[in-house]
Amino acid sequence: MAKKNLGVNTICTHVGEIKDTQFKGAISPMYLSTSYAFEDVDVKRYPRYFNTPNQEYLSKKIAALEHSEAALIFGSGMAAISTTLLAFLGAGDHIVLQNDLYGGTRNLIESQFDRYKIGYTFIEGTSVLDFEKAIKPQTKIIYIETPSNPLLKLVDIKAVSKLAKSKKIVTVIDSTFATPIVQNPIDLGIDIVVHSATKYFGGHSDITAGAVAASQSHIDTIWSLAKDTGGSLSDFTVWMLERSMKTLAIRVKAQNKNAKKIAKFLETHAYVSKVYYPGLKSHPDHELAKTQMRSFGAMLSFELKEGIDASAFLKALKLIKPSMSLAGVESTMILPYLASHALLSQEERDAQGISNRLIRFSVGIESAKDLKHDIHRAISQINASTLIDN
Ligand SMILES: *Cc1c(COP(=O)(O)O)cnc(C)c1O
């Protein structure tokens, strides 16, 4: 199949499916064998070699979606991220990272990299100049995450890729929040794309997985460590992930559409003081968003007006679930200061602009009017009770 010419929904549905030649079933069979022949075979297959039939074929779907030559599927987003970084970094090397990063990634670097004698710099801003200033002769990787969690800050993917290329530095992007439906970093010059497939790829809050997409030679480098560190995903879950990814594009598009409506609704709501969403004109990176994203994602965050208790608001919601994690078909909200950023000190959170009133909203596929109603009703309810208490 000429993958390049296929529409995104067709890639989601069909690329990388395994033909059921035995029974002619419509979907990929699940191969749970951990033991394959070693003689008279082209490939010696073993789950921890990332090359069972289901692993190998689903990787093709991910590569097709990310416009990369190859891909690998991991047991979690952090397995994908840690293996990728450690495959390219050794003692004496240096990595430049965006300051706003997924908490687990930041912890990995801050808690482990000193032991491996890998240097790192978290840059202050998000401009290309900020990245350039942090580069050292030993820098091997520039790592970005755009849009970022939870303030949806953007990095200019094309400009950072160009800078890195000029200095022969490998670029890695965590594109979990965007998905390949929203942006294709490889087309903008990025070398390696990592995903927490626990989020939109899975999309139903029921599997943990990770993925990496890159050129065959970069994938080979990552694989040479991955097969020994062993962060592969079980074939049962690979099969679940394939099923989930068939609807990736339609889910993400519906969620993006909802998020845009909700962001506009929140921006004009009397009890909301601030909304962070790249699709709003008020977002500082809105113009950049239009150049590198097809739509604006389904993650947003907002602050309630001073005096409104964010925890009470979350408890008053009936439809939207206050819960960790994100990107399922169901809408969820979280207080980053109590969850994803709980390990940071108050000063670190203040420096990053994460207040105790900040709410991160993972917008699902429910009807937008019901989501708006839930938010409005919860705010009115707690605001009324605050007034009564006074
Ligand atoms: C959840 C997440 C991760 C980590 O993925 P796991 O599957 O939980 O290991 C990494 N990056 C981002 C942006 C995430 O949201």
Side-chain angles (χ1 to χ4, degrees), residues 322-342:
S323 48
M324 302 270 277
S325 207
L326 57 106
V329 288
E330 58 285 320
S331 291
T332 60
M333 283 189 188
I334 201 172
L335 296 174
Y337 93 97
L338 289 179
S340 54
H341 292 67

Short mmCIF file of all heavy atoms in Angstrom, two decimals, residues 322-342:
data_model
loop_
_atom_site.label_atom_id
_atom_site.label_comp_id
_atom_site.label_asym_id
_atom_site.label_seq_id
_atom_site.Cartn_x
_atom_site.Cartn_y
_atom_site.Cartn_z
N PRO A 322 -12.87 14.31 38.29
CA PRO A 322 -11.58 14.75 38.78
C PRO A 322 -10.67 13.54 38.86
O PRO A 322 -10.92 12.65 39.65
CB PRO A 322 -11.87 15.29 40.19
CG PRO A 322 -13.34 15.18 40.38
CD PRO A 322 -13.87 14.22 39.37
N SER A 323 -9.68 13.45 38.00
CA SER A 323 -8.80 12.28 38.06
C SER A 323 -7.46 12.56 37.40
O SER A 323 -7.31 13.44 36.57
CB SER A 323 -9.45 11.05 37.45
OG SER A 323 -10.00 11.36 36.20
N MET A 324 -6.49 11.72 37.80
CA MET A 324 -5.15 11.78 37.25
C MET A 324 -5.24 11.36 35.80
O MET A 324 -6.23 10.82 35.36
CB MET A 324 -4.24 10.78 37.97
CG MET A 324 -4.13 10.98 39.45
SD MET A 324 -2.80 12.08 39.89
CE MET A 324 -1.41 10.95 39.85
N SER A 325 -4.14 11.57 35.11
CA SER A 325 -4.01 11.17 33.72
C SER A 325 -4.99 11.93 32.82
O SER A 325 -5.71 12.82 33.29
CB SER A 325 -4.15 9.68 33.53
OG SER A 325 -3.41 9.31 32.36
N LEU A 326 -4.97 11.60 31.56
CA LEU A 326 -5.63 12.47 30.59
C LEU A 326 -5.84 11.75 29.27
O LEU A 326 -5.38 10.62 29.09
CB LEU A 326 -4.74 13.71 30.34
CG LEU A 326 -3.30 13.42 29.86
CD1 LEU A 326 -3.12 13.74 28.40
CD2 LEU A 326 -2.31 14.21 30.68
N ALA A 327 -6.55 12.42 28.39
CA ALA A 327 -6.67 12.02 26.98
C ALA A 327 -7.62 10.88 26.70
O ALA A 327 -7.69 10.38 25.58
CB ALA A 327 -5.30 11.69 26.39
N GLY A 328 -8.39 10.45 27.68
CA GLY A 328 -9.42 9.45 27.42
C GLY A 328 -10.61 10.09 26.72
O GLY A 328 -10.69 11.32 26.60
N VAL A 329 -11.54 9.24 26.29
CA VAL A 329 -12.76 9.78 25.67
C VAL A 329 -13.63 10.51 26.69
O VAL A 329 -14.48 11.31 26.34
CB VAL A 329 -13.59 8.68 24.97
CG1 VAL A 329 -12.90 8.21 23.71
CG2 VAL A 329 -13.88 7.52 25.90
N GLU A 330 -13.37 10.24 27.99
CA GLU A 330 -14.14 10.91 29.03
C GLU A 330 -13.37 12.16 29.49
O GLU A 330 -12.15 12.15 29.57
CB GLU A 330 -14.42 9.99 30.23
CG GLU A 330 -13.19 9.42 30.91
CD GLU A 330 -12.53 8.30 30.13
OE1 GLU A 330 -13.24 7.47 29.54
OE2 GLU A 330 -11.28 8.28 30.08
N SER A 331 -14.10 13.23 29.79
CA SER A 331 -13.45 14.46 30.26
C SER A 331 -12.98 14.29 31.69
O SER A 331 -13.68 13.74 32.53
CB SER A 331 -14.45 15.61 30.19
OG SER A 331 -14.73 15.93 28.85
N THR A 332 -11.76 14.79 31.94
CA THR A 332 -11.22 14.75 33.30
C THR A 332 -10.57 16.08 33.64
O THR A 332 -10.10 16.81 32.75
CB THR A 332 -10.15 13.64 33.47
OG1 THR A 332 -9.08 13.87 32.57
CG2 THR A 332 -10.72 12.25 33.25
N MET A 333 -10.57 16.39 34.93
CA MET A 333 -9.88 17.60 35.40
C MET A 333 -8.96 17.23 36.53
O MET A 333 -9.17 16.24 37.25
CB MET A 333 -10.89 18.63 35.88
CG MET A 333 -11.59 19.36 34.77
SD MET A 333 -12.54 20.73 35.45
CE MET A 333 -13.44 21.24 33.98
N ILE A 334 -7.93 18.05 36.70
CA ILE A 334 -6.94 17.77 37.73
C ILE A 334 -6.39 19.09 38.25
O ILE A 334 -6.40 20.10 37.53
CB ILE A 334 -5.80 16.92 37.13
CG1 ILE A 334 -5.04 16.17 38.21
CG2 ILE A 334 -4.87 17.75 36.29
CD1 ILE A 334 -4.05 15.18 37.64
N LEU A 335 -5.96 19.08 39.51
CA LEU A 335 -5.24 20.24 40.05
C LEU A 335 -3.75 19.89 39.96
O LEU A 335 -3.27 19.08 40.76
CB LEU A 335 -5.64 20.49 41.51
CG LEU A 335 -7.10 20.87 41.73
CD1 LEU A 335 -7.43 20.96 43.22
CD2 LEU A 335 -7.43 22.18 41.03
N PRO A 336 -3.02 20.47 39.01
CA PRO A 336 -1.61 20.08 38.83
C PRO A 336 -0.79 20.21 40.11
O PRO A 336 0.10 19.40 40.35
CB PRO A 336 -1.11 21.06 37.75
CG PRO A 336 -2.34 21.38 36.97
CD PRO A 336 -3.45 21.43 37.98
N TYR A 337 -1.11 21.18 40.96
CA TYR A 337 -0.29 21.36 42.17
C TYR A 337 -0.43 20.18 43.14
O TYR A 337 0.46 19.94 43.96
CB TYR A 337 -0.61 22.70 42.84
CG TYR A 337 -1.65 22.70 43.93
CD1 TYR A 337 -1.29 22.62 45.28
CD2 TYR A 337 -3.00 22.78 43.61
CE1 TYR A 337 -2.26 22.62 46.28
CE2 TYR A 337 -3.97 22.79 44.60
CZ TYR A 337 -3.59 22.69 45.93
OH TYR A 337 -4.55 22.69 46.91
N LEU A 338 -1.51 19.42 43.03
CA LEU A 338 -1.69 18.24 43.88
C LEU A 338 -1.34 16.94 43.18
O LEU A 338 -1.33 15.88 43.80
CB LEU A 338 -3.15 18.15 44.33
CG LEU A 338 -3.64 19.17 45.35
CD1 LEU A 338 -5.12 18.94 45.65
CD2 LEU A 338 -2.82 19.13 46.62
N ALA A 339 -1.09 17.01 41.86
CA ALA A 339 -0.88 15.76 41.12
C ALA A 339 0.43 15.80 40.31
O ALA A 339 1.48 15.52 40.85
CB ALA A 339 -2.07 15.50 40.23
N SER A 340 0.35 16.18 39.04
CA SER A 340 1.53 16.09 38.17
C SER A 340 2.71 16.90 38.68
O SER A 340 3.86 16.58 38.42
CB SER A 340 1.16 16.56 36.75
OG SER A 340 0.59 17.85 36.79
N HIS A 341 2.44 17.97 39.41
CA HIS A 341 3.52 18.84 39.87
C HIS A 341 3.67 18.86 41.39
O HIS A 341 4.27 19.77 41.95
CB HIS A 341 3.33 20.26 39.30
CG HIS A 341 3.51 20.30 37.81
ND1 HIS A 341 2.62 19.69 36.94
CD2 HIS A 341 4.48 20.83 37.03
CE1 HIS A 341 3.05 19.86 35.70
NE2 HIS A 341 4.16 20.54 35.73
N ALA A 342 3.13 17.81 42.02
CA ALA A 342 3.16 17.75 43.49
C ALA A 342 4.57 17.58 44.04
O ALA A 342 4.84 17.96 45.18
CB ALA A 342 2.26 16.60 43.97
#
